[in-house]
Amino acid sequence: MNSTKTLIYDGSFNGFLTAIFVAFEEKAVVSDIQKHSVCQNGLFSETETIFTQMDKAKRVWNGIHKKSHSAIKDIYFAFLSEHKGIEMLLYHFIRKMFASETSIASDYSDGLVLKISQLARSVGREKHRMEAFVRFQLTKDEIYFANIEPDFNVLPLISKHFRSRYADQQWLIYDVKRKYGIFYDLSQVEIVSLDLEDIHTNSINKSAHFTDGEYNYQDLWNNYFKSTNIKSRINLKLHKQHVPKRYWKYLSEKKAV
C-alpha cells in the first residue's frame, strides 16, 4: 500500500501544474498540496518538494486544454482566488476531468465543478473591477504608479489590459496586499517587488514621490466629481454596488464624497 504524500511547491501556477504531473506520474496517494511558504507537515504523510519544471507543467496544461478549453480558464482563475485548500480542490477536479470520457466542465450538478466555476467567476469579476478602478499617479521619474488591494491575486490577469491601454507610458501597478507588482517599461511587463515605507493613495495623503501637477490634476477631477453629483440624490447603496467601498482609498475622486 502506497503511503500518502504531501506535495510542497513554490506557490506558482506552473509549480502547481508540476505537482499535478508528479502526482499522476508517481501514482501517488496525495493527502495535500501546499505552498512552501505555508507548509505544515501531516502526521501520517511524507512530504515531497516539487521543483517547477516548465515541460511538465506544459504537458498538464495541454492535457487539460484538450479535455476542455473553458476548464483551463476556470482552473487558472480559481487558482488565483487563493481560496483555502484550492490546490486539493483543483487536484480532485483535474483527476475527475481525466477520468471522464466526456467533458465535466459544465456539469454544475457536480458540487466540485460548481465550486471551481464559482471561484473562477468571482476572480473574473475582481479582474474587471481592477481594470475599471485603477487610478495612476505620475511619479517624479515619469512612471505612472497605482496601488491596488484586490480580494484575489488578479495582477497576472490585468497585465494585458493595461499594456494595451497604456502602451506609450511607463507604469507600475503594485498589490499592497501581496507585496508585488507589475512594471511596464515600454517594451515588456515584469514582476517586481518593492520596499514601500508607506502606501500612496490619493491627494489627501500627499507624497514627495509625486509631481505637483499630479495633485493639481486630482483636484480638478475632484471638483468635477463634486459638480456632477448632487449629494441629496446620491444613492449610496447602489453606488457601493458598482464601486465597492474597499476601493475608495485608491480613487482620487473619493476625496469629494
Side-chain angles (χ1 to χ4, degrees):
M1 181 178 176
N2 292 336
S3 61
T4 62
K5 278 189 176 181
T6 296
L7 303 180
I8 310 299
Y9 75 109
D10 62 7
S12 70
F13 185 62
N14 285 321
F16 169 71
L17 292 180
T18 305
I20 296 296
F21 182 94
V22 170
F24 277 86
E25 184 181 48
E26 296 182 354
K27 296 182 172 59
V29 179
V30 178
S31 60
D32 204 0
I33 302 175
Q34 299 178 359
K35 296 181 180 67
H36 183 268
S37 59
V38 295
C39 174
Q40 295 180 340
N41 293 337
L43 291 176
F44 303 104
S45 65
E46 61 178 284
T47 62
E48 180 177 350
T49 299
I50 305 300
F51 297 97
T52 299
Q53 297 182 52
M54 292 303 298
D55 58 330
K56 292 181 178 180
K58 192 171 182 178
R59 284 177 64 181
V60 175
W61 176 272
N62 290 339
I64 297 169
H65 192 272
K66 286 178 183 178
K67 278 287 187 179
S68 170
H69 179 69
S70 63
I72 197 67
K73 177 184 175 183
D74 281 356
I75 288 169
Y76 184 46
F77 276 45
F79 177 83
L80 294 174
S81 73
E82 303 173 324
H83 180 77
K84 185 177 181 181
I86 187 60
E87 290 91 351
M88 286 304 290
L89 284 175
L90 289 173
Y91 169 67
H92 291 305
F93 178 70
I94 293 168
R95 281 194 62 178
K96 186 173 285 191
M97 276 190 64
F98 284 128
S100 176
E101 294 184 1
T102 58
S103 175
I104 65 166
S106 58
D107 181 11
Y108 301 124
S109 64
D110 185 305
L112 180 59
V113 176
L114 179 62
K115 181 65 176 178
I116 297 301
S117 176
Q118 289 172 334
L119 288 170
R121 284 201 300 270
S122 294
V123 171
R125 285 193 293 269
E126 189 77 337
K127 168 187 178 291
H128 292 306
R129 289 193 190 106
M130 289 297 106
E131 289 171 349
F133 299 147
V134 164
R135 295 291 185 268
F136 288 104
Q137 294 174 267
L138 183 61
T139 66
K140 290 182 177 179
D141 50 2
E142 298 295 312
I143 296 173
Y144 285 88
F145 180 86
N147 279 316
I148 62 173
E149 197 172 355
D151 286 347
F152 311 113
N153 183 21
V154 295
L155 270 186
L157 302 178
I158 66 176
S159 171
K160 183 179 179 181
H161 169 83
F162 286 101
R163 180 173 181 174
S164 173
R165 187 171 180 181
Y166 301 105
D168 59 345
Q169 301 167 357
Q170 290 190 93
W171 49 260
L172 169 60
I173 304 173
Y174 193 77
D175 185 335
V176 299
K177 186 176 181 180
R178 292 161 188 86
K179 295 182 172 55
Y180 84 100
I182 49 175
F183 172 61
Y184 176 64
D185 63 1
L186 301 179
S187 63
Q188 62 183 356
V189 176
E190 296 181 349
I191 294 175
V192 298
S193 59
L194 302 174
D195 184 16
L196 291 181
E197 294 180 1
D198 57 339
I199 297 173
H200 307 300
T201 55
N202 53 41
S203 57
I204 299 172
N205 303 311
K206 294 193 176 184
S207 167
H209 294 282
F210 299 108
T211 66
D212 291 335
E214 171 60 31
Y215 293 118
N216 292 337
Y217 172 79
Q218 286 192 24
D219 288 339
L220 285 172
W221 176 251
N222 287 332
N223 289 332
Y224 169 78
F225 193 79
K226 287 177 183 176
S227 67
T228 55
N229 286 276
I230 301 173
K231 287 205 178 256
S232 61
R233 295 183 183 175
I234 292 176
N235 183 338
L236 279 179
K237 183 177 181 181
L238 181 62
H239 186 69
K240 289 177 185 176
Q241 287 176 356
H242 292 290
V243 188
K245 198 167 184 178
R246 65 182 182 275
Y247 303 128
W248 287 15
K249 62 184 174 181
Y250 300 119
L251 304 181
S252 59
E253 62 266 33
K254 286 302 160 195
K255 183 180 178 183
V257 175

